[in-house]
């Protein structure tokens, strides 16, 4: 609670249009707002030199982003802080990202960043500042079930911008203190509001890249981070026939066709990555489809853990349309999802998120498929 008796909200600001409009909307709702940006990744070549980002770069958390966020906070008359979480980010996001690739997985670091940074570290800082709410510019909706009092998450009204997939790790305690004011708005409306508020970033390009891999060359980042070049190995069929040599397992993901360099009568695709033998298994396109997956690190969002099979729509990557399936929790605590129809390229390291219509039920990290 603020000194003036109003509820106090910490706004996670990125310098972009979404978090800027979220801040303005919270002020309109009567909250006493504080702006904050997380300093997550040290980019010496930007902040300690005069070198500029490559043209067309759409990464986040740059020095320019910090200046943009501070300018918006100033315009709204809000205090603004930059919190340095570089070591926590390295341990919780970058290390997980690198280790995932080294173990033959394909991670989504945005999920870990939301889980460990925005809604854990920043949430802790919000409480220290006496804030009742933490606010982000994510497109999703949070409400409460009047029947049992449980907090729920739903897809954004604008389905084309929905980000509920990357928020499935939020706990009930966190949901009780999180506000997502853009959940009912379209992107077009958000940009229009930004213009009405007089924000200079109303038409700023959205960030797209992984912030610590701004050029998109994640393989080079991993080799630089570990100080080791990924060892070459064999491309093989599922029966063990050697088809050629690969340049290191970190260069490949399930479903990949391009860049294999294999001459054959028909196109090959990556079916499986075997870190223990340093092999990449290739297959024909029709062999990429599987019906059942297993997931670990499961979190139930809008419902308690079910004690029997439930019908769901399941999404296996961010740009995947939810598909009808059956889900159950195994005796060992894993989540087992069986699709009505086989799905293409179920990938270890990605997350499966379960829905009932627009209601987010829960999710987990994919660790196997069959």
């Amino acid at each position: 609670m603020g000194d003036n008796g109003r509820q106090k909200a910490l706004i996670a600001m990125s310098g972009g249009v979404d978090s800027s409009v979220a801040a303005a909307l919270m002020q309109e709702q009567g909250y006493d707002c504080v702006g904050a940006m997380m300093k997550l990744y040290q980019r010496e070549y930007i902040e300690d030199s005069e070198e500029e980002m490559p043209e067309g770069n759409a990464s986040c958390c740059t020095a320019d982003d910090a200046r943009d966020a501070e300018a918006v906070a100033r315009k709204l008359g809000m205090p603004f802080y930059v919190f340095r979480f570089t070591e926590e980010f390295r341990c919780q996001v970058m290390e997980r990202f690198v280790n995932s690739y080294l173990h033959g997985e394909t991670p989504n670091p945005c999920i870990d960043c939301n889980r460990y940074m925005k809604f854990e570290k920043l949430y802790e800082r919000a409480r220290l500042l006496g804030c009742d709410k933490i606010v982000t510019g994510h497109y999703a909706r949070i409400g409460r079930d009047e029947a049992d009092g449980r907090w729920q998450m739903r897809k954004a009204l604008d389905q084309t911008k929905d980000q509920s997939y990357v928020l499935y790790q939020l706990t009930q305690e966190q949901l009780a203190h999180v506000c997502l004011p853009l959940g009912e708005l379209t992107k077009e409306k958000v940009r229009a509001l930004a213009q009405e508020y007089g924000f200079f970033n109303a038409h700023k390009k959205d960030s797209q890249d992984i912030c610590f891999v701004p050029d998109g060359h994640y393989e080079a980042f991993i080799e630089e981070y570990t100080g080791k070049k990924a060892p070459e190995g064999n491309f093989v069929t599922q029966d063990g026939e050697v088809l050629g040599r690969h340049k290191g397992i970190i260069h490949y993901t399930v479903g990949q066709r391009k860049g294999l360099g294999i001459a054959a009568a028909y196109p090959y695709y990556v079916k499986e990555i075997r870190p223990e033998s340093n092999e990449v298994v290739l297959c024909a396109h029709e062999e990429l489809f599987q019906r059942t997956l297993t997931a670990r690190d499961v979190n139930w969002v809008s419902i308690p853990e079910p004690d029997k099979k439930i019908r769901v729509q399941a999404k296996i990557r961010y740009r995947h349309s939810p598909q009808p399936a059956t889900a159950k929790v195994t005796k060992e605590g894993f989540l087992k999802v069986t699709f009505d129809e086989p799905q293409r390229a179920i990938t270890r390291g990605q997350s499966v998120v379960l829905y009932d219509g627009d209601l987010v039920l829960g999710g987990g990290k994919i660790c196997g498929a069959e």
Side-chain angles (χ1 to χ4, degrees):
M1 193 75 71
D3 295 336
N4 52 16
R6 295 187 298 176
Q7 279 205 315
K8 194 172 180 181
L10 182 72
I11 318 294
M13 303 186 74
S14 66
V17 63
D18 293 331
S19 56
S20 300
V21 171
L25 290 173
M26 293 301 288
Q27 275 197 336
E28 286 185 357
Q29 292 178 32
Y31 282 86
D32 186 6
C33 295
V34 176
M37 188 175 194
M38 293 188 294
K39 172 70 175 171
L40 300 176
Y41 179 58
Q42 182 67 39
R43 287 181 225 230
E44 297 176 359
Y45 65 94
I46 296 173
E47 296 169 340
D48 298 337
S49 75
E50 296 180 358
E51 185 178 347
E52 297 181 350
M53 292 289 283
E55 186 176 350
N57 179 272
S59 188
C60 63
C61 306
T62 66
D64 286 344
D65 290 328
R67 285 190 287 269
D68 290 349
E70 185 176 15
V72 169
R74 192 183 308 117
K75 184 175 182 64
L76 293 172
M78 292 165 38
F80 178 76
Y81 301 96
V82 176
F83 298 132
R84 180 178 290 273
F85 293 127
T86 50
E87 182 58 22
E88 294 89 340
F89 184 73
R90 185 189 66 77
C91 293
Q92 299 287 16
V93 181
M94 295 167 69
E95 283 276 349
R96 292 175 189 274
F97 177 85
V98 169
N99 287 332
S100 189
Y101 268 109
L102 294 178
H103 286 85
E105 300 178 340
T106 302
N108 185 326
C110 294
I111 292 174
D112 285 337
C113 187
N114 285 324
R115 178 180 181 181
Y116 296 107
M117 306 310 300
K118 290 187 179 74
F119 298 107
E120 186 171 301
K121 291 301 177 185
L122 195 60
Y123 173 56
E124 291 170 3
R125 193 61 58 94
R127 294 182 67 179
L128 288 174
L129 290 172
C131 294
D132 309 277
K133 298 289 185 181
I134 183 169
V135 182
T136 74
H138 284 105
Y139 286 80
R141 293 177 289 170
I142 295 173
R144 202 166 193 182
D145 188 330
E146 294 182 2
D148 63 7
R150 188 179 178 92
W151 290 94
Q152 298 180 327
M153 186 192 303
R154 295 183 181 273
K155 292 180 183 177
L157 203 65
D158 184 348
Q159 299 275 314
T160 65
K161 295 300 294 181
D162 175 58
Q163 293 172 297
S164 60
Y165 175 85
V166 297
L167 298 173
Y168 79 89
Q169 285 286 357
L170 285 175
T171 66
Q172 282 291 298
E173 181 188 353
Q174 290 166 337
L175 287 168
H177 297 280
V178 171
C179 284
L180 306 176
L182 306 190
E184 302 281 348
L185 304 178
T186 64
K187 185 71 177 196
E188 291 72 22
K189 178 62 175 176
V190 169
R191 291 201 183 277
L193 283 172
Q195 277 203 291
E196 288 179 26
Y197 293 133
F199 293 159
F200 61 91
N201 60 0
H203 298 287
K204 184 176 179 179
K205 188 176 179 181
D206 290 340
S207 61
Q208 300 290 335
D209 299 325
I210 299 170
C211 63
F212 54 91
V213 193
D215 59 3
H217 297 305
Y218 68 89
E219 311 95 327
F221 165 78
I222 292 170
E223 290 182 338
E224 181 180 354
Y225 188 90
T226 60
K228 299 176 182 177
K229 186 166 179 60
E232 294 182 0
N234 287 330
F235 283 123
V236 298
T237 66
Q238 292 184 83
D239 296 328
E241 178 189 350
V242 177
L243 299 171
R245 296 286 286 174
H246 68 68
K247 46 189 183 178
I249 63 171
I250 64 171
H251 293 267
Y252 307 97
T253 187
V254 173
Q256 180 177 335
R257 175 186 173 185
K258 294 182 178 179
L260 303 182
I262 298 291
Y266 58 87
Y268 274 116
Y269 295 80
V270 175
K271 166 81 171 178
E272 181 187 351
I273 298 170
R274 297 174 176 170
E276 63 282 350
S277 59
N278 196 29
E279 293 176 323
V280 176
V281 181
L282 304 184
C283 68
H285 185 259
E286 59 269 19
E287 295 176 272
L288 285 175
F289 291 81
Q290 296 168 297
R291 282 193 63 199
T292 302
L293 66 80
T294 303
R296 57 179 171 82
D297 200 14
V298 182
N299 183 56
W300 294 98
V301 184
S302 302
I303 63 171
E305 180 181 303
D307 56 7
K308 58 185 178 181
K309 287 183 180 179
I310 58 173
R311 290 293 294 170
V312 300
Q313 297 92 47
K315 187 171 176 172
I316 58 173
R317 62 182 64 87
Y318 186 69
R319 298 293 182 193
H320 179 243
S321 297
Q323 299 296 311
T326 300
K328 70 173 184 178
V329 179
T330 69
K331 289 184 297 183
E332 298 78 20
F334 291 99
L335 175 64
K336 188 171 184 178
V337 180
T338 302
F339 291 92
D340 292 4
E341 299 292 335
Q343 301 299 304
R344 183 186 185 278
I346 297 175
T347 306
R348 292 193 306 118
Q350 292 287 293
S351 290
V352 59
V353 179
L354 311 180
Y355 295 86
D356 179 4
D358 66 356
L359 187 68
V360 183
L361 303 179
K365 192 163 289 187
I366 299 170
C367 57
E370 56 190 70

